[in-house]
Amino acid sequence: MNDKIMVIQVFVVLFLCINLLLITTFFTKEVFYTTMRYVLFAVTLMSDCLLLFLANILLIFSYYLYTIKMWLCLIIYIVLSLYIFVTPVTLTAMTLERYVAICLPLRHGELCSPRSTLHGILIIHILSSLPCIVFLSIFFASASYGSYSQGRVCTVEIFIIHRWQGHLKSAINQFYFLIMCITILFSYVKITRVAKAASGEDKKSTWRGVRTVGLHALQLLLCLIQLWCPFIEAAVLQINLMLFLNVRYFNYISFILVPRCLSPLIYGLRDEMFIHALKRFALCGLHKKH
């Protein structure tokens, strides 16, 4: 397992460096932080960086059986549970932005203004916090006051006191992702119809929007599969411990790391304006070093 942990560290450091480079590039041009799709892209990058960093710390603590106080674990869990949802909810908002831009171009300036963007970010965080609030309210009502000062290995399972809590958490998560999947599917169908009817440069731009929404759907699917991983791992644990460790390692790479690393590929490296700014920023950095 030591080799596998080291491989994960390499992946995490690599993706954090890429995301931080893209975040820095985002602040180099005014057009990026005054345009909704770029602002939402930056939100996903920051959310993914925080999630990767905290999840990696908990992975290391869990591997070495390092215990921390329950109250500190609770704070980490609140942040993690919030930002697990921020990325997929933001992806849904980005899909809706593409829908408005392509299907309702005359209203795009009004609906996707900087003021609307700030309101959208606030709504994203409110919606993302609701599952955490419901789940933790049940935990606070069930846990004893003295348990907060106990030292525990920090995992999600320690907050599940009653079995039905896990089922409730799963039901809320599945409901959220069902709504997001329906929204993305609706946008995909509408944008595809416009793409078929368009011509010339508009057709090329519209089909690029179709591909972007399709990639968002793939990213959302990987995030959804992540919710099923605990059930799969629990079933495998009953069969064989080594198989359980291998499955958990595969799930961590495939459904936690990979979905959080697709944002740079989908938006950052496919967007002509952003990739041009990124190249110029990187070349300026190399030029200054010389």
Side-chain angles (χ1 to χ4, degrees):
M1 287 297 292
N2 278 324
D3 293 338
K4 293 180 179 179
I5 293 293
M6 289 306 299
V7 169
I8 289 176
Q9 301 314 301
V10 171
F11 273 112
V12 169
V13 170
L14 175 63
F15 290 131
L16 282 177
C17 289
I18 293 172
N19 283 4
L20 289 173
L21 177 62
L22 293 173
I23 291 170
T24 307
T25 304
F26 167 78
F27 288 103
T28 59
K29 294 186 71 173
E30 184 180 355
V31 66
F32 293 147
Y33 49 86
T34 55
T35 305
M36 176 178 273
R37 64 192 178 108
Y38 292 116
V39 173
L40 294 177
F41 170 55
V43 169
T44 63
L45 290 177
M46 294 175 188
S47 169
D48 292 343
C49 283
L50 185 58
L51 186 68
L52 285 173
F53 179 72
L54 290 178
N56 191 53
I57 288 177
L58 290 187
L59 175 72
I60 294 171
F61 283 179
S62 177
Y63 177 70
Y64 290 106
L65 300 178
Y66 185 81
T67 60
I68 61 176
K69 295 294 184 183
M70 188 76 161
W71 62 266
L72 179 58
C73 180
L74 183 62
I75 293 172
I76 296 174
Y77 173 75
I78 289 172
V79 177
L80 271 176
S81 61
L82 170 64
Y83 283 96
I84 278 175
F85 274 95
V86 164
T87 292
V89 174
T90 307
L91 287 175
T92 307
M94 293 169 77
T95 300
L96 288 174
E97 187 276 334
R98 287 294 82 201
Y99 165 74
V100 172
I102 294 170
C103 300
L104 304 169
L106 297 179
R107 300 200 62 193
H108 185 260
E110 173 193 349
L111 296 175
C112 302
S113 64
R115 183 182 180 85
S116 299
T117 303
L118 293 176
H119 291 161
I121 293 172
L122 179 61
I123 292 170
I124 286 169
H125 282 77
I126 291 173
L127 290 175
S128 301
S129 65
L130 291 179
C132 177
I133 291 172
V134 172
F135 187 72
L136 288 179
S137 298
I138 298 170
F139 172 75
F140 290 142
S142 305
S144 62
Y145 181 76
S147 64
Y148 297 108
S149 60
Q150 295 177 358
R152 302 285 295 273
V153 176
C154 190
T155 63
V156 176
E157 287 76 18
I158 66 176
F159 298 107
I160 301 177
I161 298 174
H162 308 291
R163 185 166 182 164
W164 58 266
Q165 284 178 264
H167 297 310
L168 176 63
K169 184 174 185 288
S170 176
I172 293 172
N173 292 348
Q174 306 271 356
F175 173 74
Y176 261 66
F177 276 88
L178 176 63
I179 297 300
M180 288 186 276
C181 287
I182 291 172
T183 303
I184 288 182
L185 181 62
F186 167 81
S187 301
Y188 183 85
V189 171
K190 289 290 187 180
I191 294 173
T192 302
R193 287 179 180 174
V194 173
K196 289 179 179 178
S199 59
E201 187 63 30
D202 288 341
K203 192 177 187 70
K204 182 180 177 182
S205 175
T206 306
W207 277 113
R208 191 183 301 121
V210 172
R211 288 192 294 271
T212 299
V213 173
L215 289 169
H216 284 331
L218 172 62
Q219 196 174 4
L220 190 63
L221 175 63
L222 292 174
C223 292
L224 175 59
I225 294 173
Q226 177 192 338
L227 300 177
W228 301 334
C229 289
F231 301 103
I232 297 171
E233 291 166 7
V236 171
L237 182 59
Q238 304 299 320
I239 302 171
N240 183 278
L241 177 60
M242 187 52 66
L243 180 61
F244 163 77
L245 293 174
N246 290 330
V247 168
R248 194 166 211 181
Y249 177 75
F250 173 80
N251 288 343
Y252 188 87
I253 293 286
S254 303
F255 307 120
I256 294 181
L257 290 185
V258 172
R260 267 72 199 182
C261 305
L262 285 177
S263 292
L265 299 176
I266 293 174
Y267 249 80
L269 303 183
R270 289 179 66 249
D271 188 280
E272 293 180 7
M273 185 183 298
F274 200 90
I275 194 66
H276 178 71
L278 177 62
K279 287 178 180 177
R280 189 170 59 180
F281 176 73
L283 290 174
C284 286
L286 291 174
H287 180 71
K288 288 179 181 179
K289 288 182 179 179
H290 291 297

